[in-house]
Amino acid sequence: MTEQAFSRAVECYGDMLYRIAFHYCKNRADADDLVQNAFIKFLRTKKSFESEEHLRNWLIRVVINDSKKLLVSPWKTRHEALEDYAQTLYAGQPERSEVFFAVMELPQRERVAVHLYYYEGYSVKEIGALLGENPSTVSTRLASARKRLKSKLKEAWNSDE
Amino acid sequence: MTNKQRYQDTFKALHASKERLGKVYFMENKRRKFYVGRVLAVAAIVAALLTVSAFAANAVTDGRLFEAITFTVNGEVTNLTPQEDGSYTFDTKDGVHGSIVARDGVVLQNDDGTVVESTYEVEVDSDAAVSMEMELSGVDVQAGDVPGTFEVRESAE
């Protein structure tokens, strides 16, 4: 693989993978490790990708699988105060900070489903395929997450979406 | 503003470390070069040890008929150790332990127990398998218990 092709993949998918990883582990260092590991696997794989969508879904699957492994690992010891990170991200933007904390307080499975749905634009069926779960389970998680977000964010979160 | 817009506005602020990702390509290339270099270093050691025997064998077998034999060790040789009796023991990365008899250029024995002089060449394939090519001065060669693939070619007239 050429450096140019690799750089293009990093440019296209680096931030997307980081956000997904962060929704799992809730700290910057682990999220960066997970993304770096995904791109190392990308460099080493002999797999040929049929399309951009194929590559994108493969990278997401790698990050999801590695994130799940990390969360059950006895060696996971990193913790980060979300307040510090939110301060650097949303200084002077209380509305965004509020949404950030409300999402981070969701249970991990709901948090990831919400992110894939609202940010990445995946359908319930596609999220089910990525997470290896039944679409009806994903729907239930999304409904539960919406309820929690509405309860936390009040009028800042619409109840009909 | 929709929930989707609100969500995206919030989380678009999160970015991966470009500095770290920028190093991945170079780190991986460096690792590959180190790996290839290590394999070549092993091959060089094998070749250097066996070349000593090749000179001795050439001196003894000059002008005689030869038979070519290719011996392939299955796996990367990680440790080749000369023994006091002139043989070599080796280990492969896959955990195979074996030995090659190579006293003063003699590698193998005929059926009647007489020794067979030889010369050697060693090369490393892309998959890190070590191949050793020997030219032997006799026929009816015994492979013994040397692990790997042993192929005897037609002897010359």
Side-chain angles (χ1 to χ4, degrees), chain A residues 93-103 152-154 156:
Chain A
Q93 302 173 86
E95 302 86 2
R96 289 182 182 175
S97 184
E98 201 181 356
V99 173
F100 176 80
F101 283 114
V103 171
K152 278 271 177 194
L153 298 169
K154 311 286 185 205

Side-chain angles (χ1 to χ4, degrees), chain A residues 20-87:
Chain A
I20 293 170
F22 188 84
H23 275 70
Y24 270 100
C25 60
K26 296 206 290 187
N27 79 73
R28 281 176 281 187
D30 281 340
D32 274 325
D33 281 352
L34 288 162
V35 176
Q36 180 176 306
N37 193 42
F39 280 111
I40 288 173
K41 286 182 177 175
F42 174 52
L43 277 174
R44 291 181 188 174
T45 187
K46 291 183 169 63
K47 198 176 179 70
S48 59
F49 297 98
E50 295 155 12
S51 62
E52 279 298 314
E53 191 187 357
H54 185 197
L55 170 61
R56 175 187 157 111
N57 286 350
W58 183 83
L59 285 167
I60 291 175
R61 285 290 312 163
V62 169
V63 165
I64 287 173
N65 289 338
D66 288 350
S67 297
K68 286 177 178 173
K69 282 181 202 161
L70 178 73
L71 291 178
V72 297
S73 166
W75 307 111
K76 178 177 164 38
T77 54
R78 286 169 172 166
H79 296 284
E80 180 182 30
L82 285 176
E83 290 76 12
D84 296 342
Y85 192 29
Q87 184 60 35

Side-chain angles (χ1 to χ4, degrees), chain B residues 35-99:
Chain B
Y35 178 75
V36 173
R38 197 165 48 120
V39 170
L40 292 177
V42 171
I45 292 167
V46 174
L49 286 169
L50 295 181
T51 301
V52 175
S53 300
F55 283 122
N58 278 334
V60 175
T61 61
D62 186 31
R64 296 171 64 178
L65 297 179
F66 286 82
E67 182 164 293
I69 290 183
T70 301
F71 170 63
T72 304
V73 177
N74 296 326
E76 180 188 337
V77 173
T78 56
N79 180 30
L80 183 72
T81 310
Q83 302 298 310
E84 283 184 5
D85 63 359
S87 67
Y88 295 90
T89 59
F90 66 89
D91 296 286
T92 72
K93 201 175 179 182
D94 299 328
V96 174
H97 178 77
S99 63

Side-chain angles (χ1 to χ4, degrees), chain B residues 53 56-62 64-67 103-108 110 114-120 134-138:
Chain B
S53 300
N58 278 334
V60 175
T61 61
D62 186 31
R64 296 171 64 178
L65 297 179
F66 286 82
E67 182 164 293
R103 285 188 298 274
D104 299 321
V106 176
V107 176
L108 300 166
N110 286 319
T114 57
V115 292
V116 181
E117 292 86 358
S118 62
T119 60
Y120 316 79
M134 296 175 278
E135 289 186 340
L136 302 177
S137 63

